[in-house]
Amino acid sequence: MIKLIREHLSTKIFIITVCLLITVGSAIYGMVALGMSRSYFLELDRSLSNQTEKMVLQLSNTSVQEIDGVKKMFALEHGISIVLKDSDEKVLGIYGDMEYSLAPGTDVEDILLGSGITESYSCKLTNGKTYWIQVFGNKEKVNIGLESLKRILPMLGAITFLAALAIAALYTKYITRSILKVSEVSKKMANLDFRVRYTEDRRDEIGILGENLNELSEKLESALDELKEKNTDLEKSIKLEQQLEQQQMAFFSAVSHELKTPITILKGQIQGMLLEVGGYKDRDRYLKRSFEVANSMENMVQEILYVSKIRTSGFELKLIDIPLHQLVENVIKEQEDMAIDRGLQFHIRIEESTWIRADEALFTKVISNVVGNAIKYTNEDGNIWVGVYKRGEEIIFWIENETESIDEKEIPKLCDAFYRIDKSRNKRTGGSGLGLYITKMILEQHQFPYCIENTEKGIKVEIRCYEPTRRLL
């Protein structure tokens, strides 16, 4: 019970209200009982005073023989007792209720002293003597009223108790309904549920508190959503950072592996020449081979430095408007000799005035890598198709070469660092293994979509660029 009272506001208010109502009812009952006797006596004194004064005036014109009749009639009429005394305080007669209640041999003076005098008046009769008249009120009516109150006390108490319970229940429900609603809202807010709202229509302090809770709930919900969004972004950033770190570790591992092979070859050739072992006695021949290996290592180091430059956190693109049609034509001219040596034929379809917004040096590297790969992997005496055209707000560059199809599972790996389908890595197809990887990085920096796919003729690469006006948006 104590725990119930401590933990529930409605129980506290209900008990306090019942106690207050019972206390007030008891106080009212006591005041009625006390006030009844006091008000009766006051009224009795006032009435007797008026009537007695009239009787005294009447007695002044009455003889001694007629006085008894007048006093008896007056006492019976008003339900009081009258005592007549002479000037020496000697009792001459008693009239009214007191006259009939005296037992034989009773000391009248003791009775008078114990009863108390309501009023005392002096009266001079026609014989010239002065008499004292003492008037005593009757408490019987008051006693009857008090007895009646005592008899109805149990019923009155029961009614008061039930009324107190009913009133306390209604009052408690009215007072605590809004408070309990506020408590419910705050409890759900504590559990991070900010969808609940205070809906009571009140304009007092509790209503203001409910509105403040609604406003707080909205702000907390907004802050929580924002926090969740930032947390999601942070998780994505952490995940991306982890992926970049893994890619970096994989990249450096691949770099170590790629450099290890030519270094081992170069070391073996130089050692063989120094010791003049077998065929290594022909130094001119193996010096040329060593030079080719060193040159290959130099190209690879340059590509690695290029990758490192792009992946630097402070790296920024130098975007300008460049004519893509001229850039593609220049790259093809630079690598045309390599194509001629392998008997390859270029088929060029380039639209004029195809401008894009990009980093000129980096995008030149992209076109050079893609064209170089096409030349390197096209079949002997094969064909290469190159095109640039406008499609809506996009500028499309594509290149297709005659070669064997690639397994669909291998296509997503083509742009990985040091990945080459040709495992033999012979002189025709051997390279740093970073060309397409660098191409992918540059295109991602520019946010240019690209795709590599098999066709009926061979392999096709398509890059979607944006016009300068679209890029500026």
Side-chain angles (χ1 to χ4, degrees):
M1 184 63 180
I2 296 177
K3 183 179 180 181
L4 182 66
I5 295 174
R6 287 180 177 177
E7 294 181 355
H8 296 278
L9 176 64
S10 57
T11 305
K12 294 178 183 178
I13 294 177
F14 179 79
I15 292 175
I16 292 173
T17 305
V18 169
C19 293
L20 287 175
L21 290 175
I22 292 176
T23 302
V24 171
S26 300
I28 292 174
Y29 178 84
M31 292 172 64
V32 168
L34 182 62
M36 180 182 291
S37 61
R38 289 191 175 181
S39 62
Y40 178 78
F41 286 131
L42 290 174
E43 182 62 25
L44 179 62
D45 287 343
R46 185 184 63 78
S47 177
L48 285 178
S49 295
N50 294 334
Q51 296 298 327
T52 304
E53 288 177 358
K54 291 180 180 179
M55 182 190 68
V56 170
L57 291 175
Q58 184 180 358
L59 289 176
S60 300
N61 299 317
T62 305
S63 63
V64 177
Q65 290 78 14
E66 296 174 346
I67 193 172
D68 289 340
V70 174
K71 292 187 180 298
K72 284 181 180 181
M73 291 297 295
F74 187 80
L76 290 174
E77 183 181 353
H78 295 283
I80 60 174
S81 297
I82 301 174
V83 177
L84 179 64
K85 294 181 180 182
D86 59 13
S87 58
D88 295 329
E89 293 293 326
K90 182 180 178 181
V91 177
L92 300 177
I94 299 176
Y95 310 93
D97 295 339
M98 191 179 294
E99 176 185 0
Y100 302 106
S101 62
L102 290 176
T106 304
D107 189 352
V108 178
E109 293 295 335
D110 292 338
I111 296 297
L112 294 178
L113 291 174
S115 298
I117 301 173
T118 302
E119 287 292 344
S120 182
Y121 302 89
S122 64
C123 178
K124 183 179 287 188
L125 300 183
T126 55
N127 58 4
K129 292 184 179 181
T130 300
Y131 297 89
W132 287 98
I133 299 174
Q134 294 178 338
V135 180
F136 297 87
N138 192 347
K139 298 183 180 179
E140 183 178 356
K141 294 182 180 180
V142 178
N143 293 333
I144 293 174
L146 293 176
E147 288 297 327
S148 298
L149 286 176
K150 289 180 182 179
R151 282 196 298 270
I152 66 172
L153 178 60
M155 183 183 297
L156 187 62
I159 294 174
T160 302
F161 180 74
L162 293 177
L165 291 179
I167 294 173
L170 294 175
Y171 177 75
T172 301
K173 184 177 180 181
Y174 174 75
I175 290 296
T176 60
R177 181 183 62 185
S178 298
I179 298 176
L180 292 177
K181 187 65 177 177
V182 170
S183 176
E184 180 184 353
V185 172
S186 62
K187 186 181 295 184
K188 290 187 178 181
M189 288 176 60
N191 293 327
L192 301 182
D193 182 6
F194 302 117
R195 294 171 297 176
V196 66
R197 292 291 184 270
Y198 177 81
T199 56
E200 296 290 326
D201 186 15
R202 298 185 61 148
R203 294 293 181 266
D204 54 11
E205 288 78 3
I206 296 177
I208 295 174
L209 177 59
E211 292 178 359
N212 291 339
L213 279 178
N214 288 342
E215 185 178 354
L216 177 62
S217 179
E218 292 176 1
K219 291 183 179 179
L220 287 176
E221 184 178 15
S222 176
L224 184 62
D225 291 341
E226 185 178 353
L227 184 62
K228 287 181 179 179
E229 184 178 350
K230 290 184 178 180
N231 187 52
T232 301
D233 294 340
L234 180 61
E235 289 179 353
K236 290 180 180 179
S237 299
I238 293 175
K239 188 175 181 180
L240 179 61
E241 190 69 25
Q242 291 175 345
Q243 291 177 351
L244 292 175
E245 186 176 353
Q246 292 175 356
Q247 292 175 3
Q248 188 174 9
M249 294 298 295
F251 177 77
F252 284 120
S253 176
V255 167
S256 301
H257 178 76
E258 291 293 327
L259 288 176
K260 182 178 179 181
T261 300
I263 290 175
T264 301
I265 294 173
L266 185 60
K267 182 179 178 181
Q269 291 176 351
I270 293 174
Q271 188 176 15
M273 287 186 289
L274 290 174
L275 298 177
E276 297 183 354
V277 178
Y280 289 103
K281 292 179 181 180
D282 187 357
R283 293 190 175 186
D284 292 339
R285 176 186 174 188
Y286 282 97
L287 280 174
K288 182 179 179 181
R289 290 185 179 181
S290 297
F291 177 77
E292 291 175 353
V293 172
N295 189 50
S296 175
M297 289 176 61
E298 182 184 13
N299 291 335
M300 185 182 296
V301 170
Q302 290 296 330
E303 298 286 6
I304 292 171
L305 292 175
Y306 208 89
V307 171
S308 177
K309 174 185 175 182
I310 296 175
R311 296 184 64 173
T312 302
S313 59
F315 176 77
E316 293 183 1
L317 297 174
K318 299 178 181 178
L319 299 176
I320 59 172
D321 296 345
I322 57 176
L324 182 60
H325 55 283
Q326 291 183 7
L327 190 151
V328 174
E329 290 174 352
N330 293 337
V331 170
I332 292 175
K333 287 179 182 179
E334 290 176 359
Q335 302 191 25
E336 192 173 16
D337 291 342
M338 294 174 55
I340 293 174
D341 290 343
R342 301 193 61 242
L344 305 181
Q345 180 67 38
F346 272 102
H347 303 276
I348 302 173
R349 288 178 290 181
I350 298 178
E351 291 185 9
E352 298 294 327
S353 301
T354 48
W355 289 75
I356 64 172
R357 188 168 182 79
D359 187 308
E360 186 173 13
L362 293 182
F363 207 76
T364 301
K365 181 71 173 177
V366 168
I367 302 300
S368 179
N369 286 346
V370 174
V371 173
N373 264 17
I375 294 173
K376 189 184 297 182
Y377 291 100
T378 300
N379 299 329
E380 295 286 344
D381 300 322
N383 296 288
I384 299 175
W385 292 268
V386 180
V388 176
Y389 66 95
K390 182 184 294 187
R391 184 175 64 192
E393 296 181 345
E394 295 179 338
I395 304 297
I396 308 299
F397 164 80
W398 62 275
I399 182 168
E400 185 177 1
N401 62 305
E402 287 184 329
T403 185
E404 296 82 6
S405 297
I406 302 174
D407 189 343
E408 294 292 337
K409 296 180 180 179
E410 300 290 335
I411 290 179
K413 303 177 184 178
L414 292 177
C415 294
D416 292 347
F418 302 108
Y419 180 82
R420 280 172 291 192
I421 298 176
D422 187 357
K423 303 298 181 182
S424 63
R425 298 182 183 182
N426 54 40
K427 288 184 179 179
R428 184 177 71 84
T429 58
S432 67
L434 292 173
L436 288 181
Y437 178 68
I438 293 173
T439 299
K440 180 186 75 170
M441 293 181 62
I442 295 174
L443 292 177
E444 288 177 350
Q445 289 282 340
H446 284 78
Q447 299 180 12
F448 288 168
Y450 66 94
C451 68
I452 303 174
E453 59 184 359
N454 289 311
T455 64
E456 294 180 358
K457 300 175 183 178
I459 303 297
K460 180 180 179 181
V461 177
E462 181 179 287
I463 301 174
R464 294 159 50 195
C465 309
Y466 300 120
E467 291 183 306
T469 53
R470 164 103 182 252
R471 189 63 184 162
L472 285 171
L473 296 177

